[in-house]
Amino acid sequence: MKKIIVFLICISLLLSGVSGSNIVKAANYTYSDTMTYGYYTYVIRSSYSYGDEILIKGYSGNEKIVEIPNEINGISVDYISNNVFENNSVMEKLILPSSIGGANGNGIGEHAFRNCTSLKEVIMGFSSIYAMNFDTAFMGCENLEKYEFSTEITSRDKEDVPYGYYTLDGVIYRCYTSNWVTHYSLCYCPPAKGNFDIPDYIDNIGMDAFRYNNKITSVTIPKEVSSVGMCAFSSCKRLKSIDFSESSVKKISYGICDGCKELTSVKLSEKTEMIDDWAFSETRINSINILDNVGYISEVAFSKCDALNDIRVSAGNQYYVVIDNVLYCKKDNGWDGLHDCLHSYDLPNNNSLVLVRAASDITQYTGLESYSVCGAPGETFAGCKKLRYVCIPKNFGYGDYRMFEDCSMLEGFYMDSEAKMPCLYYEMFKNCKKLETVEISDSVTYIEDCFEGCNSLKKIIIPESVTRIDENVII
């Protein structure tokens, strides 16, 4: 067997035209020394399965129109490595070869064209976008107006849509078949600006489709759309409103609008059943209406929404309730392990609630008289800038990391003698700059690194029950 392997390696070296002294082995590949072709530096990667392929590693030119070669010395150019053109401020037009999206093409590395601020147009000579990393590859290309495929159409009529990938008005779409059903997907959308008009026939929006777009201000999700991928609108810095109300979207995906700093308005669909992790975190949403069919809301779905002053739940919703502008889960949704949920909430009886999210203008929290609050599994109060006083109620069994992070006005934290929370969690009070007093109950046995940035801390009462304190805790 060893003889066979040695023979195959020797044959590969002969075919690649690279001497054994210039080969570096890595995993299942061998790499040549770095070589030069015009403005490009590259390496030849060889493998038994794919043969030889060229990886572009660097570019030193200052051309306004950059056309990457399809091959170099007869070897296919299959990959543009990470950061190759990053911060290029001269390039205005980029022409990518067909080999990048070919059968063996590996595509574009992360941040390959990041912050190419003069880039306006990308022409792609291939029919697939597998492994393209568009969301990060072109991040910061603020003047990018157009993607152009080998297949481009001008009509917005469904009847004129070709099968496979195509571009319309510089946006990448795809028509494909799954389980004998034809679907129409919006894949990547760099030129969107203002109130972007999605074609009516689109039934799904891909992961990262609008991510890092700094020009779009509002979007209405069409009726036919049933799914929107993770982080589809993440970090769209000027997005102010998003309307799902007419759509068929059941799941508000992970990070869908995370970091949209100007987002103030969100309308959910009556068909929406779940709101996933970080869906609207670090936005400026000022109100949210949880409709009847919503059965799962992640505990970090609205993390650090410091303008969320109005939380409402429709009367027909059987899972959630708002009391004193705090959102609670009142019924176990039973979705443990389903719908990509990490867990279901643990509710021991009908008189129990789980604290999910507090409105940002809450000034104090002491629990409820009529219900037993079991705990808070996420960043429940994070970013509540007006919160000054907290008393953890009796039977309160657990908190979580960063529970009060960035509560910049919080002054006092206390625990009822019958509270059951076992720990002060990691970064629980991070950046609570005015926190002065912390008094904890005998239920606590462990204090993690939870006081980072608490510069005003004067008094901590630690009971004998505490047996472990992280070495980084500043007391």
Side-chain angles (χ1 to χ4, degrees), residues 160-177:
D160 296 326
V161 171
Y163 192 81
Y165 289 99
Y166 63 96
T167 50
L168 168 65
D169 297 330
V171 179
I172 302 176
Y173 297 90
R174 182 189 180 199
C175 174
Y176 64 98
T177 301

Side-chain angles (χ1 to χ4, degrees), residues 176 202-206 221 224-229 244 247-251 253 256:
Y176 64 98
I202 295 299
D203 59 27
N204 69 90
I205 297 172
I221 309 300
E224 297 298 323
V225 174
S226 59
S227 69
V228 180
F244 295 92
S247 75
S248 303
V249 174
K250 290 185 177 182
K251 176 182 177 180
S253 298
I256 193 169

Side-chain angles (χ1 to χ4, degrees), residues 145-275:
E145 298 175 351
K146 182 180 183 181
Y147 286 131
E148 183 179 322
F149 260 130
S150 50
T151 303
E152 184 174 15
I153 65 173
T154 57
S155 172
R156 294 177 65 87
D157 294 336
K158 183 177 180 179
E159 292 75 16
D160 296 326
V161 171
Y163 192 81
Y165 289 99
Y166 63 96
T167 50
L168 168 65
D169 297 330
V171 179
I172 302 176
Y173 297 90
R174 182 189 180 199
C175 174
Y176 64 98
T177 301
S178 177
N179 296 324
W180 308 104
V181 177
T182 300
H183 294 281
Y184 303 88
S185 177
L186 190 159
C187 301
Y188 293 106
C189 188
K193 59 182 68 175
N195 182 12
F196 183 70
D197 184 18
I198 300 173
D200 291 340
Y201 59 81
I202 295 299
D203 59 27
N204 69 90
I205 297 172
M207 180 175 67
D208 301 316
F210 293 80
R211 193 176 190 181
Y212 301 118
N213 180 298
N214 292 330
K215 297 179 181 179
I216 188 171
T217 57
S218 64
V219 63
T220 298
I221 309 300
K223 180 179 179 180
E224 297 298 323
V225 174
S226 59
S227 69
V228 180
M230 294 188 298
C231 301
F233 297 90
S234 175
S235 301
C236 291
K237 294 182 180 179
R238 291 183 176 84
L239 182 64
K240 299 180 185 298
S241 68
I242 185 166
D243 187 349
F244 295 92
S245 61
E246 297 300 320
S247 75
S248 303
V249 174
K250 290 185 177 182
K251 176 182 177 180
I252 304 298
S253 298
Y254 177 102
I256 193 169
C257 290
D258 175 41
C260 294
K261 303 292 187 181
E262 294 188 10
L263 182 64
T264 59
S265 175
V266 173
K267 294 181 180 179
L268 300 179
S269 167
E270 292 182 354
K271 296 181 180 181
T272 298
E273 297 178 356
M274 69 170 293
I275 304 174

Side-chain angles (χ1 to χ4, degrees), residues 44 197 238 255 306 345 389 399:
I44 299 174
D197 184 18
R238 291 183 176 84
D306 56 13
Y345 296 127
Y389 172 88

Side-chain angles (χ1 to χ4, degrees), residues 6 39 60 91 125 139 151 200 215 239 248 252 254 279 302-303 309 325 338 403 405 409 431 447 452:
V6 170
Y39 294 122
S60 59
M91 178 173 56
M139 182 172 67
T151 303
D200 291 340
K215 297 179 181 179
L239 182 64
S248 303
I252 304 298
Y254 177 102
F302 299 99
S303 176
N309 299 327
N325 222 6
L338 299 177
M403 187 174 174
E405 183 179 6
M409 300 299 291
N431 296 331
I447 300 178
E452 180 182 346

Side-chain angles (χ1 to χ4, degrees), residues 93-111:
K93 182 177 182 179
L94 171 66
I95 303 173
L96 296 170
S98 59
S99 56
I100 294 291
N104 298 330
N106 290 291
I108 302 173
E110 291 189 359
H111 305 151

